[in-house]
Amino acid sequence: MWPSMAAGEKASGTTLRNAFGNVLSFFILLLIGVLAFSIRLFSVIKYESVIHEFDPYFNYRVTQFLTKNGIYDFWNWFDDRTWYPLGRVIGGTVYPGLTLTAGTIWWLLNSLNIPLSVETVCVFTAPIFSAFASWATYLLTKEVKGTGAGLTAAALLAMVPSYISRSVAGSYDNEAVAIFALIFTFYLYIKTLNTGSLFYATLNAIAYFYMVCSWGGYTFIINLIPMHVLLCIVTGRYSSRLYIAYAPLVVLGTLLAALVPVVGFNAVMTSEHFASFLVFIVIHVVALVYYIKGILSAKMFKVAVTLVVSVGLVVCVAALAVLVALVASSPTKGWSGRSLSLLDPTYASKYIPIIASVSEHQPPTWPSYFTDINVLAFLVPAGIISCFLPLSDASSFVVLYIVTSVYFSGVMVRLMLVLAPAACIMSGIALSQSFDVFTRSIKFQLFGVPGGFKVDAGETSSDSSVTENDGAKRDKSEDILKERPSRKNKKKEKEQAEKNPVEKTSIKSKKEKKLLVLPLEVSLIALILLVFLGAFYVVHCVWAAAEAYSAPSIVLTSYSPSGLHVFDDFREAYGWLSHNTDVDDKVASWWDYGYQTTAMANRTVIVDNNTWNNTHIATVGTAMSSPEKEAWEIFNSLDVKYVLVVFGGLVGYPSDDINKFLWMVRIGGGVFPHIKEPDYLRDGQYRIDSMATPTMLNCLMYKLSYYRFVETDGKGFDRVRGTEIGKKNFKLTHFEEVFTTHHWMVRIYKLKPRKNRIRGKTKKSKTKSSSTTSSKRSVVSKKNPWN
């Protein structure tokens, strides 16, 4: 009777403790969500509620169209304000996940009589989904290593600077919702792998569909999961749960992905997806082998395996031949340019300069790792080690995730965003395990808990959580488990595991082992160091959110002894275009500013940030690289009326068009061979001073940037390049300046009309010719050089 009462009290205490832990975890998660949202509001507090960067302005414009005209008009929208005279079919060339998400939020809020503007919803979409991403990280890490690791990882992701850089208020880009979709898809895959539930497998396919709708980075998912499935098969960890986790994802996920217009048949025709189909075939072959093994004798099984392997090889060779035939006709073997840039980091710089010209496509520097993930870089190795103690299907997946994301982040700085969740998961596991060891050691040393500690197989799905023994004496049968098992026991366990492979891991985890107990002083010092490490991480993350990543690129600031200076030249220039030009006027600029010009000035542009037509961009680059007369001819053929250039030489703005000019030359020269980069370099050096080449000093970009620049200080000193310009006093013959912003950061020029220049040329020809009537007629009858 007494033992039963004691057992009941113990069960009641355990239930109460679990209930309290669940409530506490819920409130901690709620606070983590508030933290993730609020730390991203510095941009709104310091500046204003405004859209950031370049691509978000296109997304904002598309969302405005969606909320105003409806989803059917959105799918069929042909935008004639971009890529003139080609235009662009918006519904078939965008990933609609972000736009549909923000549009749905706006519709729900207005249905509840909360009249927020579309711009406000777009500004705060990213902070909202950063909270969702933190909660998804908790769920994923909990499936791998338990609740403590999940809470720690969620708190780390809520503040990690790499993710903040793409999710601050106003950063209305695809990654705002895609990172949440990425993590949530991984969570549902691990959940299905741990439970074998077809319900979670279906949810996993739907989450993958949302990821496909949101971002082109979905190819990372459809390649990482097959890699993990193949790893499990090769290492002998195949189970029915693995099949349920993978097969529905490939079938349903591919069918759903093909419904997205921008993807379409690429879901089955491009090389990025072939790995998933190959592993799909392999896992069915393995499943067939396991099924045959269960119904045949050992002798018949060998014959059947030989037959299956032979037929499988024939099928694989045939499938491989079909794939080779499909991709052989493509010069890139079925891979997109960005994918080839990831596999071969030198590919873009050799063959596709338009990809290499984007700053976020450059390889990161070592300091950028410290800036973007900070102390997590030092905790990741400890997290990887923890995942091997013990190694489960879930922990092997996150190890594969961190390894692949580290590689891709080293190729392209933009993919630091993919590394951030993996680093937070690993660091959360490392910190949680470390705190467990240190607190357990302190408790053991202070309270002298007898009997040591044991592994509790039932607390977490990954069989890695540790619990205290509560001081109860073990009986002889429990002590025997500590001893080395006999061959007979091993054989029984092996047979039982073969009959039920699902329970194989749980059988192993039920074996108790002595856990690490450190000295009291070492544990206390280690805990203090971990607290200081966490405090340093928090301070760095707050600084990054407040200073490094909160400033919108459209509004710039600088500090001086006299105070804060705000440079609002971009909106000043777009406002001038909107109010002082005709609605149908065409504006030419480098492609970086196309989205902003269309969204803020409502004017037609020649090229924009979509960069889908390399020839069109090369035409603009050639015009900027050509002398004034030839550039006028090119722009006039495109019906351009205004040319916009960005110049930072007066205020020291380094991201101006002069610094980007060599990329214009390279992209233009890739299509038009008469544009050669060495013509713009002096002894291999890019110069704008008196030693610059004549080709450089006479090109349109140089003239439009430095026209009247000498009037600012009398010397023409460029603060970005740190030198005086080479050509100071010159006049424009084919363009006229119509507007320059307050700080000279944006300059707008108008093409001079043709008849004015013809009239001047006629007068000049009259003075050189005789006054006879015949000579006058010969002048008039000359062919117009501009036709």
Side-chain angles (χ1 to χ4, degrees):
M1 179 177 179
W2 292 108
S4 62
M5 291 180 61
E9 291 179 357
K10 183 177 180 180
S12 177
T14 302
T15 304
L16 183 62
R17 185 173 63 222
N18 290 338
F20 177 76
N22 292 335
V23 173
L24 184 61
S25 298
F26 173 78
F27 281 105
I28 292 175
L29 282 175
L30 193 62
L31 292 176
I32 289 174
V34 172
L35 170 65
F37 179 83
S38 59
I39 200 173
R40 288 162 171 80
L41 301 183
F42 281 105
S43 58
V44 175
I45 296 172
K46 293 181 64 176
Y47 299 92
E48 58 180 292
S49 180
V50 62
I51 304 293
H52 292 203
E53 301 297 335
F54 301 103
D55 289 4
Y57 274 92
F58 169 76
N59 297 326
Y60 167 55
R61 179 167 170 260
V62 172
T63 307
Q64 280 185 313
F65 185 91
L66 172 66
T67 55
K68 182 179 179 180
N69 299 281
I71 189 169
Y72 290 106
D73 288 338
F74 163 71
W75 290 124
N76 300 310
W77 179 23
F78 178 80
D79 186 9
D80 59 354
R81 293 255 173 211
T82 61
W83 293 94
Y84 180 84
L86 305 175
R88 178 183 176 187
V89 180
I90 299 298
T93 58
V94 298
Y95 289 95
L98 175 68
T99 303
L100 295 177
T101 300
T104 303
I105 295 174
W106 177 86
W107 178 80
L108 288 175
L109 291 175
N110 281 267
S111 300
L112 298 174
N113 291 324
I114 304 177
L116 292 181
S117 65
V118 176
E119 182 181 10
T120 302
V121 173
C122 294
V123 167
F124 290 100
T125 296
I128 291 173
F129 272 82
S130 65
F132 294 162
S134 299
W135 296 335
T137 303
Y138 161 76
L139 294 174
L140 172 58
T141 315
K142 180 184 177 183
E143 288 296 317
V144 178
K145 283 292 180 180
T147 304
L151 292 173
T152 308
L156 293 175
L157 186 77
M159 298 181 289
V160 65
S162 178
Y163 186 30
I164 289 178
S165 67
R166 289 284 182 168
S167 58
V168 294
S171 183
Y172 185 58
D173 210 348
N174 290 331
E175 293 90 338
V177 299
I179 295 302
F180 159 73
L182 177 81
I183 301 171
F184 195 63
T185 303
F186 286 158
Y187 156 68
L188 289 173
Y189 168 71
I190 295 298
K191 186 70 174 179
T192 308
L193 194 59
N194 287 337
T195 61
S197 170
L198 193 59
F199 172 74
Y200 285 112
T202 306
L203 291 181
N204 189 26
I206 296 174
Y208 172 70
F209 171 62
Y210 182 65
M211 178 65 185
V212 175
C213 291
S214 302
W215 192 31
Y218 75 90
T219 54
F220 179 68
I221 294 178
I222 206 59
N223 283 277
L224 180 63
I225 292 179
M227 287 173 61
H228 178 252
V229 172
L230 190 62
L231 177 66
C232 291
I233 293 174
V234 171
T235 55
R237 304 182 70 94
Y238 171 80
S239 65
S240 59
R241 294 176 287 109
L242 184 67
Y243 180 86
I244 294 173
Y246 183 69
L249 174 64
V250 175
V251 176
L252 293 179
T254 302
L255 291 175
L256 291 172
L259 297 178
V260 182
V262 71
V263 177
F265 284 103
N266 289 334
V268 294
M269 296 295 291
T270 56
S271 299
E272 286 91 341
H273 303 82
F274 288 165
S276 61
F277 302 139
L278 178 62
V279 176
F280 185 74
I281 296 173
V282 171
I283 197 172
H284 277 83
V285 172
V286 174
L288 179 62
V289 169
Y290 272 87
Y291 173 75
I292 294 175
K293 185 178 181 180
I295 62 176
L296 296 180
S297 62
K299 185 177 180 180
M300 294 297 296
F301 174 71
K302 291 181 180 180
V303 177
V305 166
T306 304
L307 178 63
V308 169
V309 170
S310 301
V311 174
L313 286 176
V314 173
V315 173
C316 288
V317 170
L320 186 62
V322 173
L323 292 179
V324 170
L326 287 174
V327 302
S329 58
S330 172
T332 60
K333 307 307 179 191
W335 295 87
S336 66
R338 285 182 173 83
S339 297
L340 287 174
S341 300
L342 294 177
L343 299 176
D344 179 10
T346 64
Y347 178 82
S349 59
K350 291 179 181 177
Y351 304 107
I352 314 179
I354 185 63
I355 294 179
S357 66
V358 182
S359 59
E360 63 185 16
H361 293 166
Q362 303 300 317
T365 59
W366 284 113
S368 65
Y369 277 95
F370 183 78
T371 301
D372 285 344
I373 61 176
N374 200 246
V375 300
L376 305 186
F378 307 104
L379 295 172
V380 165
I384 295 177
I385 294 173
S386 298
C387 287
F388 283 92
L389 301 173
L391 182 66
S392 63
D393 293 342
S395 60
S396 64
F397 175 79
V398 294
V399 170
L400 191 62
Y401 178 20
I402 188 68
V403 171
T404 53
S405 60
V406 166
Y407 167 75
F408 289 127
S409 68
V411 175
M412 192 177 292
V413 67
R414 181 184 186 183
L415 296 182
M416 292 283 289
L417 189 63
V418 178
L419 171 64
C424 291
I425 291 170
M426 286 299 178
S427 301
I429 293 173
L431 288 175
S432 177
Q433 298 289 325
S434 300
F435 272 107
D436 282 346
V437 172
F438 299 142
T439 54
R440 183 177 64 235
S441 300
I442 292 174
K443 185 185 296 186
F444 181 79
Q445 296 290 346
L446 291 179
F447 301 103
V449 180
F453 305 91
K454 65 178 180 179
V455 173
D456 187 358
E459 184 170 340
T460 65
S461 60
S462 61
D463 307 324
S464 61
S465 300
V466 291
T467 55
E468 193 175 349
N469 195 15
D470 296 328
K473 292 183 179 181
R474 297 183 180 89
D475 53 20
K476 293 182 180 180
S477 62
E478 290 178 335
D479 290 335
I480 293 174
L481 289 175
K482 285 182 171 184
E483 300 175 359
R484 187 185 183 101
S486 63
R487 292 185 178 180
K488 188 176 181 180
N489 290 336
K490 283 185 177 180
K491 187 175 181 181
K492 288 182 178 180
E493 291 176 351
K494 186 176 180 180
E495 291 176 356
Q496 185 177 356
E498 289 178 353
K499 291 180 180 178
N500 194 356
V502 178
E503 298 178 357
K504 184 176 180 180
T505 306
S506 61
I507 292 173
K508 292 182 178 180
S509 62
K510 289 179 181 178
K511 296 181 180 180
E512 299 179 357
K513 62 180 180 179
K514 197 75 173 180
L515 297 179
L516 178 64
V517 176
L518 299 175
L520 179 61
E521 297 79 4
V522 175
S523 301
L524 288 174
I525 293 174
L527 276 179
I528 293 173
L529 290 177
L530 285 180
V531 171
F532 275 108
L533 191 69
F536 178 77
Y537 176 76
V538 171
V539 171
H540 174 78
C541 293
V542 172
W543 170 83
E547 301 295 338
Y549 296 129
S550 64
S553 63
I554 199 167
V555 181
L556 307 176
T557 60
S558 67
Y559 294 91
S560 68
S562 59
L564 176 67
H565 296 272
V566 178
F567 302 91
D568 205 1
D569 289 47
F570 286 101
R571 291 194 293 185
E572 182 184 354
Y574 297 138
W576 186 91
L577 282 173
S578 178
H579 292 93
N580 296 276
T581 60
D582 293 336
V583 176
D584 294 330
D585 286 343
K586 285 75 180 177
V587 180
S589 66
W590 192 232
W591 61 264
D592 288 20
Y593 319 107
Y595 280 164
Q596 289 185 349
T597 304
T598 307
M600 302 188 71
N602 194 26
R603 293 297 175 265
T604 304
V605 297
I606 308 301
V607 293
D608 63 23
N609 308 59
N610 186 243
T611 65
W612 67 275
N613 191 314
N614 187 61
T615 303
H616 220 47
I617 295 177
T619 303
V620 175
T622 301
M624 296 295 188
S625 308
S626 302
E628 188 178 350
K629 179 181 177 181
E630 285 78 3
W632 187 95
E633 292 176 347
I634 294 173
F635 282 139
N636 187 64
S637 67
L638 293 172
D639 200 18
V640 171
K641 195 168 184 179
Y642 295 92
V643 179
L644 181 148
V645 295
V646 175
F647 173 65
L650 181 64
V651 296
Y653 177 60
S655 298
D656 63 353
D657 285 341
I658 291 293
N659 271 359
K660 300 174 183 177
F661 179 64
L662 283 184
W663 287 112
M664 303 182 195
V665 174
R666 292 164 186 162
I667 295 170
V671 177
F672 304 100
H674 69 278
I675 301 295
K676 297 179 175 60
E677 184 178 351
D679 295 340
Y680 300 85
L681 305 176
R682 173 73 69 180
D683 298 329
Q685 294 182 345
Y686 179 51
R687 310 187 67 150
I688 51 93
D689 56 9
S690 58
M691 296 298 294
T693 62
T695 307
M696 178 68 196
L697 295 176
N698 290 307
C699 70
L700 180 67
M701 177 56 67
Y702 187 94
K703 287 188 173 183
L704 297 188
S705 295
Y706 292 113
Y707 178 64
R708 295 194 309 106
F709 182 56
V710 70
E711 298 175 8
T712 58
D713 60 356
K715 298 180 180 179
F717 184 82
D718 190 323
R719 296 186 182 181
V720 175
R721 269 61 62 176
T723 183
E724 291 187 16
I725 62 175
K727 194 172 184 179
K728 301 179 180 179
N729 298 301
F730 58 87
K731 294 183 179 180
L732 299 175
T733 57
H734 297 74
F735 296 82
E736 61 177 333
E737 180 186 10
V738 292
F739 184 72
T740 295
T741 57
H742 181 68
H743 300 98
W744 283 55
M745 289 181 59
V746 182
R747 311 195 69 184
I748 301 175
Y749 294 85
K750 184 178 181 180
L751 276 71
K752 289 184 177 180
R754 180 181 302 170
K755 62 179 182 179
N756 290 347
R757 290 181 292 103
I758 294 174
R759 194 174 297 168
K761 185 172 182 179
T762 304
K763 289 181 179 180
K764 186 176 180 180
S765 62
K766 284 181 179 180
T767 60
K768 291 184 178 181
S769 62
S770 62
S771 59
T772 60
T773 306
S774 60
S775 63
K776 291 181 180 179
R777 290 177 180 175
S778 64
V779 170
V780 175
S781 62
K782 284 184 177 180
K783 185 179 179 181
N784 190 340
W786 311 112
N787 288 334

